[in-house]
Amino acid sequence: MRDAGHAAVFLDRDGTINEEVGYLDRIDKLRLLPGAAEGIRLLNASGFKVVVVTNQSGVARGLFTEAFVVEVHRTLAEILGRQGARIDRFDYCPHHPTEGADRYRRACPCRKPEPGMLLEAAAALAIDLGRSYVVGDTPRDLETARRVGARGILVRTGYGAEHLKTASAGEMTAAHVAADLLAAVHWILAKADRQGPDPRDRRRP
Ligand SMILES: [Mg+2]
């Protein structure tokens, strides 16, 4: 491990790993997008930490419980595991600033584009955010990347294609636009290859 920590790829969940279905409120609505498992497996093999960061305001809105979100993540891990892919950590934000029941209705530091989930994961897994990536299907994911000094990649799956048509240039701060998660991973791995060893390593004796 480098002194500065691990590089990570933070993945949005709905529309990036699995199909965007509005609010995912039943397990049988959980369907992997094509190539998602292969992309995650490639990241595992290349030494990247893989962290899911997902806004789940459906909890605040009373559409499902936190226990259900945890069950979705357990199921997702199982499905991916059967295809040799591993998520190192799942983080979710159950809040909403203006909607829902008291204990979930607040301006929290974790709802993307706030960077709270990434900062917490970085501390827990010794992640170097400056060498890390955020992959997602909305400008909100890109803004989250920008706030922690990571590179943001927009995928065309989920809401991605729609946002590409409608978002303003200011919102569209992607380092790259990829067809899907697997294409995003190929871009990340090609970039990691081109960059060669981390310059910080060369300063070490
Ligand atoms: Mg999404």
Side-chain angles (χ1 to χ4, degrees):
M1 188 185 104
R2 289 173 174 137
D3 290 344
H6 302 280
V9 180
F10 294 92
L11 301 177
D12 171 53
R13 193 189 81 185
D14 303 332
T16 301
I17 300 174
N18 51 277
E19 283 178 22
E20 173 59 63
V21 293
Y23 291 95
L24 201 163
D25 57 359
R26 292 200 328 254
I27 279 287
D28 63 340
K29 292 185 180 174
L30 177 63
R31 286 181 296 268
L32 276 194
L33 286 165
E38 186 185 350
I40 292 166
R41 194 169 59 229
L42 287 171
L43 291 174
N44 296 147
S46 304
F48 282 92
K49 295 288 181 192
V50 181
V51 181
V52 170
V53 285
T54 178
N55 285 355
Q56 292 297 326
S57 71
V59 175
R61 296 169 199 269
L63 301 175
F64 44 81
T65 63
E66 284 195 61
F68 175 76
V69 175
V70 171
E71 189 191 341
V72 169
H73 293 169
R74 197 170 44 231
T75 306
L76 184 54
E78 229 174 78
I79 296 169
L80 289 168
R82 283 200 290 270
Q83 301 186 53
R86 184 190 72 249
I87 302 289
D88 293 297
R89 180 181 162 102
F90 286 91
D91 287 286
Y92 64 91
C93 167
H95 308 111
H96 191 279
T98 58
E99 297 286 326
D102 289 352
R103 97 185 143 106
Y104 292 118
R105 190 179 60 233
R106 61 188 182 91
C108 59
C110 49
R111 180 173 165 81
K112 294 180 288 183
E114 294 296 331
M117 291 192 282
L118 287 74
L119 297 176
E120 203 168 301
L125 300 180
I127 288 167
D128 178 355
L129 290 165
R131 290 197 295 128
S132 295
Y133 299 82
V134 179
V135 183
D137 67 326
T138 68
R140 185 191 297 262
D141 296 302
L142 303 176
E143 172 61 15
T144 310
R146 196 190 63 76
R147 291 191 191 186
V148 298
R151 290 186 186 87
I153 302 174
L154 187 84
V155 285
R156 291 179 186 273
T157 51
Y159 295 124
E162 196 53 37
H163 280 299
L164 273 173
K165 280 187 236 154
T166 57
S168 67
E171 286 178 302
M172 214 31 92
T173 57
H176 183 64
V177 176
D180 58 14
L181 175 54
L182 179 57
V185 168
H186 283 310
W187 185 80
I188 290 168
L189 297 181
K191 198 166 180 63
D193 268 357
R194 278 198 308 279
Q195 282 173 343
D198 192 299
R200 284 165 295 208
D201 288 349
R202 290 200 286 270
R203 288 204 299 271
R204 294 166 63 189

